[in-house]
Amino acid sequence: MATFLYRLGRLAFRRRHFVALIWVALLTLAGVGAASAPAAGNSSFSIPGTEAQKAFDLLEQRFPGMSADGATARVVFKAPSGEKMTGKDNRKTVRHAVAELRDGSEVVSVTDPYTAHAVSKDGTIAYASVKYEVSGMELEDSSRDALKAAAQDARDAGLTVEVGGDALNTAPETGSSEVIGLAVAAVVLVITFGSLLAAGFPLLTAVIGVGIGVSTITALASALDLGTTTSTLASMIGLAVGIDYALFIVSRYRSELAEGREREEAAGRAVGTAGSAVVFAGLTVVIALVGLSVVNIPMLTKMGVAAAGTVAVAVLIALTLIPALLGYAGRRIRPAGQKSRLLGGGRAPRKPGRPNMGTRWASFVVRRPVAVLLLGVIGLGAAAVPAASLELGLPDDGSQPVSTTQRRAYDLLSEGFGPGFNGPLMVVVDAKDSKHPKAAFTRVGDEIKGLKDVVTVTPAAPNKAGDTATITVVPDSKPSSVSTEDLVHAIRGKGAGITAATDAKVLVTGSTAMNIDVSQKLNDALVPYLALVVGLAFLLLIVVFRSILVPLKAALGFLLSVLAALGAVVAVFQWGWLSGLMNVEQTGPVMSMMPIFMVGVVFGLAMDYEVFLVTRMREAYVHGEKPAQAVVTGFRHGARVVTAAAVIMIAVFSGFIGSSEAMVKMIGFGLAVAVLFDAFVVRMAIVPAVLALLGRRAWWLPKWLDRALPNVDVEGEGLRTAGDRRDADPDGQRELARV
């Protein structure tokens, strides 16, 4: 591996014009494809295997044109103080708004509050329900604009009007967050390298990689049913790893220059050593992202595969375009320890023999490994304690900021009709095999009325064939509550008895039931996903480090950091600790996608730091250093770079904490805290402490397994041998002949 990548690095350095032309051509081709591709909406959302999805599919068959999974909106009207919604003027205003709403091109139906009995008992609040033929994320902007315009006209007439439902749902915009992340990354890179040019390379190549990846996704969006959320994830992950991988190789290149090597040779060795770490780190990220397919949610699978493709592009760019750019830069990229004239006068450090911060920290850990290990484990363990109280759910309008119209509509409906009115359940009765369908419909309604936490049960509404009916159930509790979840399970629990007595099947669906099913599906998939990702990465790291204990330590450390990060998320977003500081207006269940999403993303980034830091230690050990000294050497060369990479990632993810979207805010906070814990507690403290305690045993591998495993030579031992041969062959003709 190291020898092949070494040759690739030297080739890219020498043939830099050709390499640069290839990447520019790929970027142009992807851009043209994206510009000429047909417009595509967001990916269709389906959850195969869940009861809620089965009910939706059944409704599509038995109620043609119903658009069971179409977007919905509730336009909520409140009369001015001292007035009633039944007043003549207010009634006229509402019916005018209803007429406006019916003119929408994607509208299936609009209910009139006065004929649908949608006025509160006190007469102060009323609502109109709007049904669309497409899902909320596929809705045209013109339909949303018409909805907002109708609401505004009613406001202008003197009513309080708010709009709830998923019709206003749009993909969160992250452009400003990415700009903030790039700005922080630029500052950190300049400080790390002491050179504007060297700092610019990781940013430039990361942007090129993301540009190719996102443009390709856009070009294929219509054909593969990819949505904007797919490109958002690919952009975030691609930017993160693209900067990291380029940072690793540029840093190693400058270290090779500092050892007196010629620039082409330094580029080859940088790609051969740090590039090997990049390849295997990239493979762990790809495994984590592609592994999302085990959840069996098509949208999540597509997001993972697309993001994995962007990561693969980032790896290829780091291995080829970075050495090509280093060839263009020439002597303007200075050896490690030297700064550019603009930032440091081009002079060498005043005290070149002084140990750097990484060396001093590693020396301290090696001297006090037990104390550092206990402190790190106990600290992360304490942070992980709240994770034992983790409650999963999906956000609804009740979790929106109070400044949004969705949240105000949610509150008005709760005020006028009760909290459960915001999350009605739809019970679908399939009586096709029943001899007495009407009796079955009646039996289902009666059974549900006798359950706890039920406020309203509407009469069954059968289809034209009379073999299927829908029943709307309004719970007493809010949609995201445990009581509502228990009610869904209770209704489903009655299904077996009803089927035995009437041969009719009972299915519960609706947005609330769908959220419950999605949360359960993600929760059930977490352990298999974790086993798959960690297991495959464990095998991969055995090949990289030729050790059993080092990969085991890496996996256990990752689990500890993820649990600690989940504990922090629970403490802030579920318990309300520091909620004011984080601007969390509404606490509640943690987003059900959070644990599995955090495992996938953080695992990839954590293994980046593990591979880059520990391969330096492995390299020093293979080249003859004692285990404790190898730990110090690894930190001397790698700690600064890993620290810079982690700070960049924390800054990128922290930029999302300021989002008004509760889900985006939670993701940003969780990922930032996870990287903080993993990089600075696990990789910088626990890892060197464990390696210091294990000594030579850390690198133990059974002889039979050593013979069976392929020798990938990540530490670059083959390059040292090649170097020895070149000393006897100054012109390098024999080596070039092999190339």
Side-chain angles (χ1 to χ4, degrees):
M1 173 68 77
T3 304
F4 170 76
L5 293 178
Y6 162 79
R7 294 170 177 171
L8 179 63
R10 292 191 67 181
L11 179 65
F13 188 95
R14 292 195 306 269
R15 301 287 185 259
R16 47 189 170 271
H17 302 308
F18 179 70
V19 172
L21 182 62
I22 288 177
W23 284 110
V24 170
L26 289 175
L27 180 60
T28 303
L29 183 64
V32 170
S36 58
N42 282 269
S43 177
S44 57
F45 187 78
S46 63
I47 314 295
T50 62
E51 181 172 316
Q53 185 63 49
K54 291 177 182 177
F56 274 133
D57 296 340
L58 183 64
L59 289 173
E60 289 289 344
Q61 296 174 13
R62 306 286 175 83
F63 292 82
M66 182 180 179
S67 300
D69 59 348
T72 59
R74 278 178 171 172
V75 183
V76 188
F77 307 91
K78 184 175 182 180
S81 178
E83 297 183 20
K84 301 287 186 180
M85 287 305 304
T86 52
K88 181 179 178 180
D89 292 339
N90 293 336
R91 186 188 294 261
K92 181 179 179 181
T93 299
V94 170
R95 284 187 164 158
H96 182 267
V98 169
E100 281 189 77
L101 292 169
R102 284 175 176 159
D103 290 337
S105 59
E106 297 177 301
V107 173
V108 174
S109 64
V110 181
T111 61
D112 185 324
Y114 303 104
T115 58
H117 308 291
V119 181
S120 62
K121 290 181 179 180
D122 62 4
T124 61
I125 297 174
Y127 70 90
S129 294
V130 186
K131 181 71 175 178
Y132 294 90
E133 61 186 18
V134 295
S135 67
M137 299 302 290
E138 296 175 307
L139 204 62
E140 295 288 341
D141 289 339
S142 58
S143 295
R144 293 193 182 93
D145 292 339
L147 179 62
K148 295 174 184 177
Q152 187 58 49
D153 289 344
R155 288 192 192 100
D156 294 340
L159 297 179
T160 298
V161 186
E162 305 296 346
V163 183
D166 61 353
L168 291 182
N169 289 351
T170 57
E173 297 181 1
T174 58
S176 60
S177 300
E178 292 175 1
V179 171
I180 293 172
L182 283 173
V184 174
V187 172
V188 173
L189 289 170
V190 169
I191 295 173
T192 302
F193 290 137
S195 166
L196 293 175
L197 185 62
F201 284 172
L203 292 175
L204 175 62
T205 54
V207 170
I208 291 175
V210 169
I212 293 174
V214 173
S215 296
T216 303
I217 290 170
T218 303
L220 299 175
S222 179
L224 301 181
D225 192 25
L226 305 177
T228 55
T229 50
T230 303
S231 59
T232 299
L233 177 63
S235 175
M236 181 174 67
I237 303 301
L239 188 64
V241 300
I243 294 175
D244 275 7
Y245 298 161
L247 172 64
F248 295 161
I249 291 179
V250 173
S251 176
R252 185 58 183 258
Y253 172 75
R254 297 178 74 235
S255 296
E256 296 292 338
L257 290 180
E259 293 181 10
R261 292 189 172 85
E262 294 296 326
R263 295 186 179 275
E264 183 178 328
E265 176 69 12
R269 284 180 172 267
V271 175
T273 52
S276 297
V278 165
V279 169
F280 285 99
L283 280 175
T284 61
V285 181
V286 169
I287 288 172
L289 292 171
V290 174
L292 289 172
S293 58
V294 303
V295 183
N296 196 26
I297 296 179
M299 183 184 71
L300 198 59
T301 299
K302 293 173 185 177
M303 290 170 63
V305 172
T310 306
V311 171
V313 172
V315 171
L316 293 175
I317 284 181
L319 298 178
T320 57
L321 186 56
I322 283 292
L325 293 176
L326 293 174
Y328 282 118
R331 297 186 179 277
R332 286 171 289 182
I333 300 294
R334 299 177 180 275
Q338 295 185 17
K339 297 181 179 180
S340 66
R341 294 185 180 278
L342 179 62
L343 297 176
R347 59 182 180 274
R350 295 181 180 179
K351 297 181 180 179
R354 182 183 178 184
N356 61 18
M357 182 66 74
T359 302
R360 295 197 295 273
W361 169 250
S363 299
F364 169 77
V365 174
V366 168
R367 290 195 304 270
R368 302 284 188 273
V370 176
V372 172
L373 178 61
L374 289 177
L375 186 62
V377 172
I378 292 173
L380 290 180
V385 168
S389 303
L390 177 66
E391 295 178 7
L392 297 178
L394 288 176
D396 54 26
D397 286 347
S399 63
Q400 297 272 12
V402 293
S403 59
T404 62
T405 186
Q406 295 98 317
R407 172 60 184 278
R408 292 195 292 265
Y410 181 97
D411 292 340
L412 284 176
L413 288 172
S414 297
E415 176 188 340
F417 303 92
F421 198 78
N422 284 288
L425 306 176
M426 179 182 290
V427 178
V428 181
V429 185
D430 180 5
K432 188 174 183 178
D433 298 329
S434 176
K435 296 179 181 178
H436 305 286
K438 292 184 178 180
F441 301 154
T442 303
R443 167 99 182 240
V444 173
D446 292 340
E447 291 276 2
I448 295 174
K449 288 177 182 177
L451 295 175
K452 182 182 177 182
D453 205 44
V454 173
V455 173
T456 304
V457 178
T458 65
N463 62 350
K464 291 183 179 180
D467 59 2
T468 308
T470 60
I471 299 173
T472 301
V473 181
V474 177
D476 186 46
S477 305
K478 64 181 182 179
S480 60
S481 68
V482 176
S483 298
T484 301
E485 183 176 350
D486 291 341
L487 176 60
V488 171
H489 293 314
I491 296 173
R492 289 172 174 171
K494 292 286 186 180
I498 293 172
T499 301
T502 66
D503 292 324
K505 298 176 183 178
V506 178
L507 303 172
V508 184
T509 189
S511 60
T512 300
M514 179 66 83
N515 288 351
I516 292 171
D517 287 352
V518 170
S519 297
Q520 186 63 48
K521 191 176 183 69
L522 289 167
N523 192 41
D524 293 342
L526 182 58
V527 172
Y529 174 68
L530 196 60
L532 173 69
V533 170
V534 175
L536 290 177
F538 179 77
L539 296 176
L540 186 64
L541 292 179
I542 289 178
V543 175
V544 174
F545 296 126
R546 308 197 76 76
S547 164
I548 297 293
L549 296 179
V550 170
L552 180 61
K553 171 264 308 169
L556 292 176
F558 157 73
L559 293 175
L560 189 58
S561 62
V562 166
L563 286 174
L566 280 176
V569 170
V570 170
V572 173
F573 292 91
Q574 188 174 310
W575 292 359
W577 294 6
L578 301 177
S579 58
L581 180 63
M582 296 294 170
N583 196 28
V584 178
E585 298 182 6
Q586 182 73 30
T587 59
V590 173
M591 183 184 66
S592 55
M593 198 178 292
M594 191 70 195
I596 203 163
F597 185 78
M598 184 180 292
V599 166
V601 175
V602 177
F603 183 80
L605 296 177
M607 292 304 103
D608 281 359
Y609 307 143
E610 173 78 16
V611 169
F612 189 77
L613 196 60
V614 180
T615 49
R616 274 289 190 154
M617 300 177 190
R618 169 75 181 172
E619 181 180 342
Y621 177 74
V622 168
H623 290 168
E625 292 188 8
K626 294 181 178 180
Q629 183 57 41
V631 171
V632 176
T633 300
F635 266 77
R636 181 172 71 248
H637 294 295
R640 183 182 180 89
V641 179
V642 171
T643 299
V647 170
I648 289 171
M649 290 305 98
I650 292 169
V652 169
F653 295 139
S654 295
F656 292 88
I657 297 176
S659 173
S660 60
E661 290 282 342
M663 183 171 62
V664 176
K665 184 190 294 288
M666 188 182 297
I667 290 175
F669 175 81
L671 294 181
V673 170
V675 172
L676 175 68
F677 287 158
D678 195 89
F680 294 106
V681 180
V682 175
R683 309 302 154 193
M684 293 290 187
I686 294 177
V687 166
V690 170
L691 291 178
L693 289 172
L694 291 175
R696 295 184 183 277
R697 289 169 294 181
W699 309 109
W700 171 80
L701 187 69
K703 291 184 179 179
W704 64 269
L705 185 57
D706 185 43
R707 290 191 297 268
L709 292 177
N711 183 14
V712 295
D713 189 24
V714 176
E715 62 277 356
E717 179 62 23
L719 300 185
R720 169 169 286 203
T721 304
D724 295 339
R725 287 198 299 268
R726 279 192 302 278
D727 289 339
D729 181 22
D731 294 332
Q733 296 302 317
R734 290 195 297 271
E735 180 64 25
L736 287 176
R738 293 188 182 91
V739 176

